[in-house]
């Protein structure tokens, strides 16, 4: 946590991790509402970019992981971009549930 240390703040990695977990739980209902809104769109753009995750349990730092991204098209009045991540590299079918091809 060198960035926090430079600011004179003693912050452990465990504390920062707990903040991220708790804040993600708090915003989960907002994510769900955004997913409902994006699911109602006629057209979406999607991507599955590989990302590198350091210190992921059971994986080497050089292993590929994937982030699924869905967004509304440019013409949509309500611009939404949603991200989903899975520890394994398998396609996440739940990410595209309720969408038609």
């Amino acid at each position: 946590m060198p960035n926090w240390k430079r600011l004179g703040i003693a912050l452990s990695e465990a504390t920062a991790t707990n903040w991220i977990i708790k804040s993600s739980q708090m915003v989960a209902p907002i994510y769900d509402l955004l997913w409902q809104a994006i699911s109602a769109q006629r057209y979406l753009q999607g991507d599955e970019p590989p990302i590198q995750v350091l210190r992921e349990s059971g994986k080497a730092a050089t292993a590929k992981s994937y982030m699924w991204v869905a967004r509304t098209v440019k013409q949509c009045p309500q611009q939404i971009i949603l991200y989903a991540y899975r520890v394994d590299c398998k396609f996440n079918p739940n990410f595209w549930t309720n969408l038609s091809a």
Side-chain angles (χ1 to χ4, degrees):
M1 309 298 304
N3 292 335
W4 290 100
K5 193 172 186 176
R6 275 195 297 262
L7 296 171
I9 300 170
L11 180 66
S12 73
E13 188 172 334
T15 298
T17 300
N18 285 330
W19 286 354
I20 292 168
I21 291 168
K22 288 180 189 220
S23 62
S24 69
Q25 292 168 343
M26 292 172 66
V27 300
I30 296 169
Y31 183 92
D32 293 340
L33 288 172
L34 289 170
W35 187 249
Q36 287 176 12
I38 203 171
S39 297
Q41 300 302 311
R42 185 169 179 178
Y43 300 105
L44 291 177
Q45 295 173 325
D47 198 8
E48 186 181 315
I51 60 171
Q52 183 180 16
V53 179
L54 301 176
R55 291 182 287 180
E56 187 171 31
S57 180
K59 291 179 92 173
T62 56
K64 280 187 184 178
S65 297
Y66 291 87
M67 179 77 65
W68 287 272
V69 184
R71 67 163 293 152
T72 53
V73 294
K74 193 174 184 179
Q75 294 79 6
C76 182
Q78 187 179 29
Q79 293 293 301
I80 301 170
I81 303 173
L82 291 178
Y83 299 85
Y85 173 75
R86 283 182 57 145
V87 175
D88 59 26
C89 294
K90 296 178 180 154
F91 176 71
N92 185 353
N94 295 327
F95 190 67
W96 303 109
T97 301
N98 299 327
L99 299 177
S100 59

